[in-house]
Amino acid sequence: MCGIIGYAGGGNAAENVYEGLKRLEYRGYDSAGMAVIAPSGEVKVIKKQGKVSVLEPYIADIRGAVGMGHTRWATHGKPSDINAHPHSAGGIYVVHNGIIENYAELKEKLIAAGETFISETDSEVIAHLIKLNCDGNILTALHKTAKMLTGSYALMVMREGEHKIAVLKYRSSLIVGYGEGENFCASDRPALAGKCDKISVLEDGDFALISAEKIEIFDKDLTPVCRPKTENALTAEKLGLNGCPHYMLKELREVPQTVQNTFNSFNEVKDELSEVLSGTKRVIFLGCGTAYHAGLIGKKYFETFARIPAEAENASEFRYKDPVISRGDAVFAVTQSGETADTIEAALLAKSLGAKVIAVTNVPQSAITRCVHAVVPVAAGAEICVAATKSYVGQIAALYLCALTFAGKAVTPKEFKLLSELPAALQKTINNINVYTLAHMCARSGGVYFLGRGYDYAVALEGSLKLKEVSYVPSEGYPAGELKHGTLALIDENTVSVVLITDSALAPKSENAVEQVLSRGGKVAVITCLPAVAKRLEGKAEIILLPACNKFLSPLVSAIAVQELAYRTAVILGRDPDKPRNLAKSVTVE
Ligand code: F6R
């Protein structure tokens, strides 16, 4: 949610910043900008409404070896050239990711003090405050300013005449990267892929000064500190499209590898997890959007395998409901990015009330990993498409293993066989899936309803979210049994109902829902791994037949079908599935 990048070195700052912004575009793409210090000390700024590529025609004209940039997801003030970052005041230039909650009050005071504002953003107050607080030392000015801010901020600041960048991190992610004769700072790892060998993750309250020669890090009291340096394993090749037209398709194709890697990584954390979970009497899954949907499946795994009470809740709701938490509760915070503000705050709240908290995340060293008792990795690798695909399936795989481990089930030879065969089954699904006809039906429809029971209902919710997110076709997910309690009123010949049926015990009931929709003139598609269901409904509904699958593992297989459907529908409608309108990945604001 907004991406920022800074560069200081012997290279061309504008080119480095531009490249970094392209790599951070998944965090926001409604406007972009950069500031570069020319050798003379003068700062050149370019900022424009639109995706990062709007800056490309200008970068050849910007000379300088120190610079910083921003790609925006608007929170305060509509996307426009003026609201784009950097913001400046009196020779101070600022890029900001986060929200300044007390900006209105600060702005009022600053205006009363004679400052003039030109944007509608919350971020502009920071530039004015630093200007007024600066007596020649940019770091102490930033330190003084930090004490006046309420909210979340990853900040980079430049000052005319100074060939360095001052940074500050508080509740928005920021890393620094150590190169050869050049140094970097950025919101996230992809920006630095292939750029430097080592990185450090800054902690809340940290300041840093970045120049071509060195990176100096200071804690909240401006005392110099060292933060651990780790290998920067992400390469530029890993971030490529690998021959696919979109990241969404590329990442969907990476599902089998994700599941295999997640299984392998789980062995390293299994013992620690068992220890943290010992004595657990109830589990709660927290997450937002797709991660919440993975939690719904985790809940079922724990109920089924461990026979203990389990709940799943939107992290954003949990935070504000005065939750009832007791010792003996374990909370799984599910988050791809490890940065989602609502999930982090909900996890912290649960921890403060006495719960054991476990993060299930795709990003090692992300913010969530630093505030929990244990971390279960999802080994999906970088996910660039704004819509989650492989990470969702990886989360389900991780939660499956968590539930089995907690239930104390040594994996039986039968289960082991199922698990070891799963990546191949997922690959087979990817190779054979054909949703083109259904995607055309959805693209032409007035609304798509995803229906299912049990595990299928959880996947139905995710199918619906994915479809509306990337294709903008109106869609809802419902329990198949609830159809007759209201939703049937929506069914007509312009609607498509996609019914998921993967559990033979529930199949007859879900088939009733198919018949009820057909009787009212609605179009129906059935996603099933049960040949008997396919046979019975052939000719009545569009059938997507998946490989036969154990019912507990079916969500991983049917997830591929609904993700592929969303992707194909988006492409038919000419949408950009990687950057859906109004959205961004890593939702660091509340
Ligand atoms: C949907 C999607 C979002 C995220 C949600 C949580 O495709 O990607 O719903 O799942 O914003 O993000 P994380 O998992 O990073 O906490």
Side-chain angles (χ1 to χ4, degrees):
M1 191 132 283
C2 296
I4 57 177
I5 161 99
Y7 172 87
N12 181 317
E15 278 170 16
N16 275 287
V17 168
Y18 179 73
E19 211 178 312
L21 289 180
K22 287 293 279 181
R23 304 244 197 98
L24 289 174
E25 208 167 12
Y26 62 90
R27 298 176 69 95
Y29 34 85
D30 61 43
S31 47
M34 66 168 77
V36 172
I37 308 183
S40 63
E42 189 195 341
V43 175
K44 175 98 181 151
V45 173
I46 171 76
K47 49 188 207 164
K48 292 266 162 217
Q49 182 182 346
K51 291 185 178 159
V52 171
S53 57
V54 293
L55 302 179
E56 194 176 4
Y58 305 92
I59 57 174
D61 298 332
I62 306 180
R63 299 257 162 263
V66 178
M68 61 185 190
H70 184 275
T71 179
R72 181 167 184 249
W73 183 85
T75 60
H76 295 67
K78 61 185 178 305
S80 69
D81 291 0
I82 285 180
N83 288 335
H85 296 221
H87 293 289
S88 61
I92 300 290
Y93 298 80
V94 172
V95 291
H96 168 222
N97 168 29
I99 285 191
I100 304 304
E101 287 165 7
N102 58 338
Y103 90 100
E105 178 193 325
L106 291 169
K107 190 168 176 176
E108 211 178 293
K109 284 187 189 152
L110 286 161
I111 289 171
E115 295 296 304
T116 309
F117 282 77
I118 58 165
S119 80
E120 302 158 291
T121 67
D122 54 334
S123 310
E124 194 182 346
V125 296
I126 305 169
H128 290 273
L129 288 173
I130 298 175
K131 172 191 146 186
L132 296 180
N133 287 331
C134 192
D135 56 6
N137 183 328
I138 189 69
L139 196 61
T140 51
L142 189 53
H143 185 245
K144 209 167 159 190
T145 302
K147 292 186 192 307
M148 306 165 99
L149 302 175
T150 308
S152 58
Y153 36 88
L155 285 174
M156 295 180 194
V157 184
M158 294 188 342
R159 182 170 176 243
E160 240 156 34
E162 283 188 37
H163 293 267
K164 61 186 167 205
I165 304 168
V167 310
L168 165 61
K169 177 222 164 349
Y170 184 69
R171 291 172 67 206
S172 287
S173 67
L174 206 52
I175 58 173
V176 293
Y178 307 83
E180 299 246 330
E182 56 186 9
N183 291 307
F184 301 83
C185 43
S187 300
D188 211 351
R189 285 175 168 73
L192 305 189
K195 290 281 180 188
C196 52
D197 295 336
K198 300 259 186 247
I199 56 170
S200 294
V201 177
L202 296 188
E203 291 186 7
D204 270 348
D206 279 356
F207 295 80
L209 278 178
I210 321 278
S211 63
E213 297 76 35
K214 60 183 178 206
I215 297 178
E216 298 165 276
I217 305 177
F218 309 87
D219 70 6
K220 62 177 179 17
D221 303 314
L222 290 188
T223 306
V225 282
C226 290
R227 297 296 174 216
K229 287 185 187 176
T230 53
E231 295 296 324
N232 181 17
L234 200 56
T235 60
E237 293 76 62
K238 284 189 193 157
L239 292 180
L241 279 162
N242 201 13
C244 291
H246 298 102
Y247 281 105
M248 186 169 181
L249 187 63
K250 180 205 174 209
E251 288 163 4
L252 234 159
R253 299 285 177 263
E254 290 169 351
V255 163
Q257 195 59 57
T258 296
V259 170
Q260 185 63 62
N261 293 348
T262 301
F263 285 165
N264 297 345
S265 314
F266 187 77
N267 291 328
E268 289 158 33
V269 297
K270 194 173 163 199
D271 293 343
E272 191 194 349
L273 177 72
S274 301
E275 210 177 303
V276 170
L277 287 180
S278 76
T280 295
K281 301 202 169 38
R282 178 176 76 141
V283 282
I284 303 169
F285 294 86
L286 300 177
C288 298
T290 293
Y292 161 68
H293 293 157
L296 288 172
I297 293 173
K299 160 190 148 68
K300 287 184 177 296
Y301 285 152
F302 270 78
E303 284 171 342
T304 308
F305 302 146
R307 304 302 301 156
I308 60 164
E311 293 161 27
E313 196 156 354
N314 289 121
S316 53
E317 285 296 312
F318 179 87
R319 287 182 63 186
Y320 299 108
K321 71 163 196 179
D322 192 10
V324 179
I325 291 285
S326 343
R327 291 196 184 274
D329 286 347
V331 165
F332 282 81
V334 186
T335 164
Q336 185 282 130
S337 62
E339 275 192 58
T340 300
D342 281 321
T343 308
I344 292 173
E345 293 302 324
L348 286 171
L349 173 63
K351 192 177 173 191
S352 73
L353 295 172
K356 287 281 167 53
V357 184
I358 299 107
V360 179
T361 185
N362 191 33
V363 182
Q365 291 179 287
S366 54
I368 192 84
T369 64
R370 277 173 274 140
C371 54
V372 294
H373 297 102
V375 176
V376 174
V378 171
E383 191 176 63
I384 303 297
C385 175
V386 164
T389 51
K390 59 178 179 172
S391 66
Y392 169 67
V393 188
Q395 285 162 356
I396 300 173
L399 294 176
Y400 180 80
L401 293 175
C402 291
L404 280 186
T405 302
F406 177 71
K409 272 194 180 183
V411 180
T412 63
K414 194 175 154 220
E415 274 160 353
F416 182 77
K417 190 162 176 285
L418 284 173
L419 281 184
S420 60
E421 286 171 358
L422 185 63
L426 296 169
Q427 191 60 55
K428 192 172 160 196
T429 310
I430 286 171
N431 295 346
N432 297 331
I433 189 115
N434 181 346
V435 294
Y436 286 97
T437 305
L438 179 53
H440 279 281
M441 284 164 65
C442 291
R444 283 195 303 267
S445 77
V448 179
Y449 303 103
F450 285 83
L451 306 168
R453 286 170 191 265
Y455 288 95
D456 291 334
Y457 169 50
V459 179
L461 290 175
E462 176 57 12
S464 166
L465 174 64
K466 206 96 312 173
L467 183 76
K468 61 189 154 201
E469 182 181 8
V470 299
S471 74
Y472 320 150
V473 172
S475 173
E476 292 302 333
Y478 289 106
E482 285 293 295
L483 193 62
K484 54 194 176 294
H485 298 291
T487 315
L488 265 178
L490 293 169
I491 302 297
D492 63 19
E493 62 284 0
N494 294 319
T495 63
V496 176
S497 296
V498 179
V499 188
L500 290 119
I501 310 179
T502 61
D503 182 347
S504 55
L506 300 174
K509 305 286 177 206
S510 295
E511 284 174 54
N512 287 346
V514 172
E515 297 294 349
Q516 287 159 13
V517 175
L518 288 170
S519 317
R520 280 139 188 102
K523 298 183 184 67
V524 179
V526 172
I527 296 177
T528 184
C529 55
L530 304 169
V533 169
K535 202 163 165 219
R536 278 199 293 276
L537 294 173
E538 202 162 1
K540 294 182 174 180
E542 172 68 15
I543 306 288
I544 310 296
L545 184 60
L546 304 174
C549 188
N550 163 285
K551 76 170 175 188
F552 302 120
L553 296 174
S554 69
L556 293 97
V557 178
S558 48
I560 292 176
V562 296
Q563 290 174 353
E564 180 91 13
L565 175 61
Y567 173 72
R568 296 291 165 202
T569 309
V571 171
I572 289 165
L573 290 170
R575 317 291 191 216
D576 177 353
D578 290 343
K579 297 189 191 80
R581 69 182 178 204
N582 304 336
L583 296 179
K585 214 168 177 74
S586 300
V587 186
T588 53
V589 297
E590 296 166 36

